[in-house]
Amino acid sequence: MTLRGDCRLLRTMDATSFRWGCLCAFLLCGVAATAQTDGRDRSIGQFYHARWTIKDGAPGQISAIAQTRDGFLWLSAASTLYSFDGVRFERFEPSSGDPVTSIQTLAASPDGGLWIGFQHGGAAYLKDGQLTRYGEAQGLSPYQLASFAFDADGGVWTGSRHAGLLRLRDGRWQRVGADWNFPGTQASSLFVDRDGTLWVSTADTLMFLPRGGRAFRDTGARVGWVGKISQAPDGTIWVAELDGHVRPVVRANGELLTAPARIEVQSAGMVFDREGSLWISTLGDGMRRVPYAERLGGRHIGRFEPAAEPFTEKDGLTADYVWPLIQDREGNIWAGTSGGLDCFRHSSLVLAEFPRGSHDFALAAGDGGALWAGSTNRPLMRLHDKQVEFAALDAQIRCAYRDPDGTVWLGTSNGIWRIEDDRPVLVATVPAEANTLQVQAMTKDTTGALWVAMSMGGLLRWKDGVWTRMDEQLGMTARTRIYSATTDARGRVWLGFHDNAVALFDHGLVRRYGAADGLHLGVVTALRAGRRLWVGGQLGLAWFDGQRFHPFGVAGGEPLRGVAGILEMPDGGLWIHAVPGIFHFSAEEVERAVAHPDQLVHGERFDFLDGLPARPTLLRPLPTAVQGTDGRLWFATSNGVVWIDSTRIFRNPLPPPVHIRAVRVDGHLLGSGPSLTLPERAMNLEIAYTALSFAVPERVRFRYRLEGVDETWQDVGTRREAYYTHLEPGRYRFHVIAANNDGVWNETGATLELILPPAFFQTWWFRALCIAASLAVLWMLFLLRLRQVRAHMRGLLEERHRERERIARELHDTLLQGIQGLILRFQSVAEMLPVDAPVRVAMEKALDRADDVLLEGRDRVKGLRAASQGTGELSQAFARVGEELELDPPEGFHVVVEGQPTPLDPLVRDEVFRIGREALVNAWQHAGARRIEVELTYGCRELRLRVRDDGRGIDAEILQAGGRPGHWGLSGMRERARKMGARLDIRSRGGSGTEVELRVPAAVAYRGDPERTWRNRLRLRCR
């Protein structure tokens, strides 16, 4: 196999790393080679072929292809440079705006860059999006450059048919001539082999420069116009001549080959793949492939000889004119044509060599790895060692069967055939009543009897040349249809019916299973008896535990529907042929499904991306899946047969490189780089990413996460764009990872730092300003509300004061005046009585008491009208109350003032005074207190009044009831406090005194709110 391409990608600028790079590439190729079937056993038509033309978005005529170290494919077409990730073509536009046109050649350098040679002279070097141009000022002539090469010491070489050989040194191109022992002025093709030797084709010979050497050596080989130089696995150097042939020329040491092989095609490109097969591009005859080129010896292969396998436009190539040809890092072969781009890769499924146009196959495994296939439009065929032989049986074969003894049976409309000595032999004709029907299914029991189910109903048993109808024993009617049959290890015959039923024929006993037994498959199209009985149908797959059937659910993707074939491996693994594709479930997954029937099973699916040409037939012919005697698995479709070696399935071990291609914000494309700053108020963010796996790019899976938004990974399948809307300002980190077609993940992936600056209205200071403004508005609303409450309270107090004045007037003008008149009349009556009369004495005493009541009534009226006006500051008023009550001892009464006395609202002052006076009166008259203290506090937030005594206290029941029955002192105090919006608390325990506390808000108590000015705040202590 060739390691040149991998070594060139892996080595660095020093010799040590070059050797390590080649060793790594050798190991990598070895691992891949041991994991797959040898591709040389396949023809070129058995590779999976993909194509892209202009209608698929590909450029037109492709003149050069290269793959850089980051994994991208680069194409030159229509004088333009494109990159390709396996899904999308993207035109390269330099940031400088200077267009890249008229490209002649492309070459990927070991340092990850891309060298570009132009048709009109000059070169350019592209790396990390930056383009560096080289022209005449840097030593290049105005002639086009034909090829680039990179030696093991980091040197860059280029050649031209008119300017000769040049070498880049210190930023300038130096012409290589006699001082290097290089003759002439032509260098049409350059190549560095596995040993680091530089090979150059001149006008008529092939020169080489050993690694580290300073003088070229002439091989003596005569060559024409060489378009490509390559090295075979055995080390020989091959050339492809545009005006000659493709042929080996010399050995790796420069020794000339005598009578070498020759492939007579004109070619501009060739490549040896990892298995040693030689791929050749031709100038008008499509592609050629020579599987064992090193075995040609001195053989000459003509232009159209089959030894050089052709693949042309008739086979699906985009065009027959093919120029560039490369092998990518995963081993895929890429060809550029005049019509587009083509790719050839290993497919897990290999198309069998049956004639084109054959369809609807019934398969049976033959001896020695052969395969028998009956087709609806071809005679019976036998495939062995890639060769197809036709047998003398031209009837349409609807069913094939290999019994446990190895005998192959064939069912046709006219009878049952058997393969004897690789020839079909008619062994029985179908009974007359059934000879117009087709054989649907066959199986053989342990007695040697062959069971035959007919397509339109009816079950026959053939043994010792005698047919026996089994319909009645099975309870079949004219409408009953049998679609499948098998025999288990115990010799029991199982039959699958059209109406979601399975019947078991156990030595004369028949048992029928259906929906009541867990079967929900519709038409039963496939049966397989191995370790356990497997049943396939229109609606899925099920297995039998001896009593009931259990569904076999598949996790993810398309459900398992339309099962046409079931294969159970010796280890217990399963291969299922169904409408969505071919499914493989490992033995471990099968056992897990059996142990936990309610869990879904994980497996792998092979479909058209793996080379499956069509879907299976569900009705006839059958079977569609068999295992060959050589271990290969064969699957028939309506348009061909494929095989797979389950022990040597090709696996892709390379994790795909992941790249972030573009970032768009609100439809505008941003620049590139590891960190991007988004515009303010960005609404819609779109991130395009890709992964460079060309084996099956349609199966590359992605996961991404935007740190700061996504808490977990977002599994988005094959989607290659991420979308986010309405992001908050801040810093974000976008991380994307990918897995190749075989589930090998690149856990490192690609990252991108995103910075979204805030708009002015999203800054902290703007938000703080808004909060402050909101608080100010709320504070103003609060003050307004307080003012409204205070005005309302003042109105209530004024109304109450007016009501008291009215009551005082009424009492004075009516009750007091009437009592005064009565006293005068009783006085005149009393004076009419003798002075010493007992009645007069009694009346005088009554009149004295009446005077006292009148005096008290006048005092009450005075209180109603004037309240406490004129009594001075509250503390003085309370002091006078103490004097009026004549408290004993007088030193037991104290009035304490805290804070600076502040003018009070007259109405509030009156209410506070009356509440305090009531508390003092209660303490003196009812509590029997010896010590009474009045504490008056002027605070900036409230006016507080406390009256404490050491009397007998108030019982809890009285406090809870609100006062004694018939007494209104406590309830009156609470009513006064409630009406002015104050809080009144009375705390007392029997025998421990009483404390009355009144709290009046400052906005209600004071004439002006003391919190409005700093002067008031300083004058009053806020508490």
Side-chain angles (χ1 to χ4, degrees):
M1 66 181 65
T2 177
L3 301 178
R4 177 183 64 83
D6 291 346
C7 290
R8 288 177 60 185
L9 287 174
L10 293 172
R11 68 188 182 227
T12 55
M13 306 301 283
D14 58 270
T16 301
S17 58
F18 170 75
R19 290 192 293 269
W20 276 105
C22 288
L23 177 60
C24 293
F26 175 78
L27 293 175
L28 182 61
C29 294
V31 170
T34 58
Q36 65 185 39
T37 304
D38 191 345
R40 292 179 294 185
D41 292 336
R42 308 182 184 189
S43 66
I44 190 172
Q46 291 176 320
F47 282 77
Y48 184 88
H49 171 239
R51 50 177 273 161
W52 295 264
T53 61
I54 294 177
K55 69 178 183 179
D56 303 308
Q61 182 174 352
I62 297 176
S63 59
I65 308 176
Q67 184 180 35
T68 47
R69 192 172 63 185
D70 58 9
F72 279 102
L73 281 184
W74 294 87
L75 317 170
S76 65
S79 300
T80 308
L81 183 63
Y82 294 85
S83 65
F84 182 52
D85 64 355
V87 175
R88 180 170 48 237
F89 296 88
E90 186 170 322
R91 182 171 179 171
F92 172 73
E93 298 289 349
S95 57
S96 62
D98 187 12
V100 179
T101 60
S102 302
I103 298 172
Q104 173 67 21
T105 185
L106 298 173
S109 60
D111 62 355
L114 179 70
W115 282 92
I116 306 170
F118 299 103
Q119 295 177 358
H120 304 296
Y125 176 67
L126 175 63
K127 187 176 183 182
D128 299 330
Q130 301 299 318
L131 193 69
T132 305
R133 291 186 178 269
Y134 295 87
E136 294 186 51
Q138 289 77 32
L140 289 179
S141 67
Y143 301 105
Q144 68 181 19
L145 302 176
S147 180
F148 288 91
F150 312 96
D151 62 31
D153 300 318
V156 182
W157 303 75
T158 190
S160 168
R161 295 195 69 203
H162 303 283
L165 182 64
L166 299 100
R167 179 172 179 260
L168 182 63
R169 184 177 180 85
D170 298 329
R172 289 190 57 82
W173 292 95
Q174 299 177 350
R175 187 166 182 174
V176 177
D179 54 336
W180 287 77
N181 195 35
F182 186 81
T185 59
Q186 292 191 26
S188 60
S189 184
L190 286 71
F191 171 71
V192 176
D193 67 14
R194 294 192 296 266
D195 299 323
T197 300
L198 174 64
W199 299 84
V200 183
S201 61
T202 66
D204 57 1
T205 188
L206 186 65
M207 307 290 293
F208 71 97
L209 177 68
R211 180 178 177 182
R214 291 285 299 179
F216 280 86
R217 302 178 189 178
D218 190 350
T219 62
R222 293 294 162 251
V223 297
W225 183 1
V226 176
K228 186 73 173 179
I229 304 173
S230 189
Q231 187 176 29
D234 62 0
T236 57
I237 301 300
W238 288 59
V239 296
E241 298 168 317
L242 281 78
D243 55 356
H245 311 95
V246 175
R247 57 194 175 95
V249 180
V250 296
R251 294 185 173 89
N253 59 4
E255 179 183 351
L256 192 65
L257 296 176
T258 59
R262 187 174 66 197
I263 304 170
E264 296 177 352
V265 294
Q266 293 179 327
S267 174
M270 66 175 173
V271 63
F272 285 93
D273 65 21
R274 292 175 178 176
E275 296 165 337
S277 297
L278 176 61
W279 296 73
I280 304 169
S281 63
T282 72
L283 306 180
D285 292 329
M287 297 277 296
R288 294 291 188 272
R289 175 178 176 267
V290 182
Y292 295 92
E294 73 275 9
R295 301 180 185 176
L296 292 177
R299 181 181 175 185
H300 289 190
I301 300 177
R303 179 178 177 185
F304 297 109
E305 287 189 32
E309 302 169 348
F311 195 92
T312 66
E313 196 168 346
K314 294 181 180 179
D315 302 303
L317 200 66
T318 52
D320 284 338
Y321 190 92
V322 189
W323 187 276
L325 198 65
I326 71 163
Q327 179 178 224
D328 67 21
R329 61 192 290 269
E330 295 171 301
N332 307 306
I333 303 298
W334 295 85
T337 74
S338 57
L341 180 66
D342 292 81
C343 177
F344 297 84
R345 61 172 171 82
H346 283 282
S347 58
S348 299
L349 303 175
V350 182
L351 187 66
E353 292 85 351
F354 290 115
R356 292 185 179 179
S358 303
H359 61 86
D360 294 338
F361 301 85
L363 304 181
D367 296 331
L371 179 72
W372 291 93
S375 171
T376 58
N377 63 342
R378 293 284 190 274
L380 176 64
M381 295 175 285
R382 179 178 180 268
L383 175 62
H384 188 248
D385 291 335
K386 298 185 179 181
Q387 300 299 318
V388 177
E389 300 174 354
F390 292 89
L393 178 58
D394 202 16
Q396 289 188 352
I397 299 172
R398 296 297 185 174
C399 181
Y401 169 62
R402 180 184 176 96
D403 66 22
D405 300 326
T407 302
V408 175
W409 301 82
L410 304 172
T412 68
S413 58
N414 63 352
I416 305 300
W417 298 70
R418 183 169 59 201
I419 300 297
E420 297 178 0
D421 297 327
D422 292 336
R423 292 186 305 108
V425 176
L426 181 64
V427 295
T429 58
V430 178
E433 65 272 16
N435 60 6
T436 60
L437 306 179
Q438 298 287 345
V439 176
Q440 175 69 32
M442 292 187 292
T443 188
K444 189 176 182 182
D445 62 23
T446 53
T447 66
L450 186 67
W451 295 62
V452 180
M454 306 306 292
S455 60
M456 297 303 292
L459 178 65
L460 304 174
R461 183 174 181 267
W462 182 80
K463 184 178 182 182
D464 299 330
V466 178
W467 288 101
T468 303
R469 295 196 66 91
M470 306 298 295
D471 301 12
E472 293 183 3
Q473 295 187 45
L474 290 173
M476 295 176 56
T477 65
R479 300 176 60 87
T480 304
R481 301 289 183 270
I482 298 175
Y483 279 86
S484 53
T486 190
T487 303
D488 62 21
R490 297 166 56 184
R492 301 179 300 176
V493 175
W494 293 85
L495 303 170
F497 294 85
H498 74 287
D499 55 352
N500 188 50
V502 170
L504 169 62
F505 190 90
D506 186 4
H507 301 90
L509 299 178
V510 178
R511 180 174 178 183
R512 189 178 179 94
Y513 298 90
D517 304 291
L519 197 64
H520 302 284
L521 300 178
V523 178
V524 178
T525 53
L527 289 171
R528 182 73 175 187
R531 295 188 176 188
R532 51 186 61 87
L533 178 68
W534 295 94
V535 183
Q538 289 179 311
L539 306 180
L541 181 70
W543 58 276
F544 186 58
D545 65 359
Q547 299 295 328
R548 290 184 59 81
F549 289 89
H550 302 276
F552 191 82
V554 179
E558 193 170 351
L560 193 62
R561 299 295 179 103
V563 176
I566 305 172
L567 296 176
E568 186 180 61
M569 297 294 99
D571 64 352
L574 281 181
W575 288 83
I576 308 298
H577 194 196
V579 170
I582 299 172
F583 292 82
H584 173 229
F585 304 100
S586 66
E588 293 77 10
E589 280 294 309
V590 173
E591 292 303 322
R592 188 174 68 84
V594 171
H596 306 282
D598 57 333
Q599 294 186 8
L600 298 180
V601 186
H602 295 271
E604 55 183 340
R605 187 180 74 171
F606 302 88
D607 56 18
F608 71 97
L609 295 174
D610 302 283
L612 192 64
R615 293 181 173 182
T617 57
L618 295 178
L619 182 60
R620 284 182 307 275
L622 294 175
T624 65
V626 298
Q627 183 174 15
T629 53
D630 59 354
R632 288 187 293 179
L633 309 180
W634 299 83
F635 301 93
T637 72
S638 60
N639 194 34
V641 178
V642 295
W643 62 265
I644 186 172
D645 188 345
S646 61
T647 63
R648 303 179 67 188
I649 299 176
F650 177 79
R651 303 295 185 190
N652 184 3
L654 298 178
V658 184
H659 298 274
I660 296 175
R661 301 199 68 164
V663 177
R664 287 181 173 83
V665 176
D666 297 332
H668 300 286
L669 182 66
L670 300 186
S672 59
S675 179
L676 295 178
T677 299
L678 308 182
E680 297 178 2
R681 293 185 290 175
M683 298 295 292
N684 301 299
L685 173 65
E686 177 184 349
I687 304 175
Y689 49 82
T690 188
L692 285 307
S693 177
F694 296 99
V696 190
E698 296 86 350
R699 287 192 183 146
V700 174
R701 293 178 52 208
F702 296 91
R703 294 174 184 166
Y704 64 72
R705 177 174 61 181
L706 185 62
E707 297 178 5
V709 176
D710 299 323
E711 297 182 359
T712 59
W713 288 99
Q714 305 298 309
D715 194 336
V716 294
T718 60
R719 180 158 57 86
R720 299 186 178 222
E721 294 87 17
Y723 303 95
Y724 292 93
T725 59
H726 301 92
L727 293 177
E728 292 292 329
R731 300 182 68 94
Y732 301 92
R733 183 173 181 266
F734 181 76
H735 189 189
V736 56
I737 60 177
N740 68 9
N741 57 297
D742 283 317
V744 179
W745 284 92
N746 180 345
E747 297 290 351
T748 302
T751 59
L752 176 65
E753 299 292 334
L754 298 172
I755 302 173
L756 179 58
F760 76 93
F761 57 82
Q762 295 174 316
T763 57
W764 67 268
W765 57 265
F766 182 82
R767 292 179 177 177
L769 186 62
C770 291
I771 293 174
S774 300
L775 293 176
V777 171
L778 291 176
W779 179 248
M780 293 176 63
L781 292 175
F782 174 72
L783 294 181
L784 178 62
R785 180 58 180 164
L786 284 181
R787 180 174 297 179
Q788 292 175 346
V789 170
R790 186 174 64 178
H792 179 67
M793 293 298 300
R794 183 180 299 277
L796 292 177
L797 293 175
E798 289 177 350
E799 178 65 25
R800 184 179 178 186
H801 186 67
R802 288 192 294 270
E803 181 65 15
R804 286 165 53 186
E805 288 183 337
R806 185 189 67 79
I807 294 173
R809 287 195 301 270
E810 293 295 333
L811 290 176
H812 180 271
D813 295 339
T814 59
L815 181 60
L816 294 182
Q817 292 294 341
I819 293 174
Q820 180 68 34
L822 290 174
I823 291 173
L824 292 176
R825 293 186 65 181
F826 275 105
Q827 181 66 39
S828 61
V829 172
E831 289 179 353
M832 294 173 61
L833 297 175
V835 176
D836 55 352
V839 176
R840 181 171 179 167
V841 173
M843 291 185 66
E844 289 290 346
K845 291 181 179 181
L847 289 173
D848 291 339
R849 179 55 183 164
D851 289 338
D852 293 338
V853 170
L854 180 61
L855 181 62
E856 183 178 358
R858 287 177 176 174
D859 290 340
R860 293 292 183 181
V861 171
K862 180 180 179 182
L864 285 173
R865 293 188 60 86
S868 56
Q869 295 178 3
T871 58
E873 196 267 326
L874 270 178
S875 60
Q876 300 174 4
F878 287 130
R880 283 194 290 272
V881 170
E883 295 176 357
E884 292 175 0
L885 294 177
E886 297 180 356
L887 297 177
D888 185 21
E891 64 272 9
F893 177 72
H894 300 280
V895 178
V896 179
V897 178
E898 292 187 4
Q900 181 66 35
T902 303
L904 302 177
D905 184 280
L907 299 177
V908 172
R909 181 177 181 275
D910 180 52
E911 295 294 338
V912 172
F913 173 75
R914 290 194 174 278
I915 291 173
R917 187 177 186 283
E918 183 68 25
L920 288 175
V921 171
N922 288 339
W924 175 250
Q925 292 182 351
H926 304 294
R930 303 288 295 173
R931 294 183 57 83
I932 302 175
E933 180 179 276
V934 178
E935 179 182 310
L936 190 63
T937 302
Y938 293 90
C940 63
R941 294 189 178 90
E942 63 183 10
L943 173 69
R944 187 172 63 231
L945 171 66
R946 283 199 186 101
V947 179
R948 292 188 289 264
D949 65 67
D950 60 354
R952 64 176 63 94
I954 305 175
D955 294 337
E957 294 80 2
I958 297 177
L959 282 177
Q960 187 174 2
R964 296 179 184 273
H967 295 263
W968 309 107
L970 294 180
S971 58
M973 294 167 63
R974 288 193 173 93
E975 289 175 359
R976 293 179 187 274
R978 184 171 59 254
K979 288 184 178 295
M980 64 178 175
R983 176 179 176 181
L984 178 67
D985 294 317
I986 302 175
R987 293 178 285 272
S988 177
R989 287 183 297 177
S992 60
T994 303
E995 179 179 276
V996 178
E997 182 180 52
L998 177 69
R999 294 174 178 268
V1000 186
V1004 176
Y1006 304 115
R1007 285 183 176 176
D1009 190 346
E1011 289 189 299
R1012 291 183 182 178
T1013 64
W1014 284 103
R1015 179 181 302 174
N1016 287 339
R1017 293 178 65 89
L1018 292 175
R1019 186 165 57 87
L1020 298 173
R1021 292 184 299 171
C1022 289
R1023 297 170 181 261

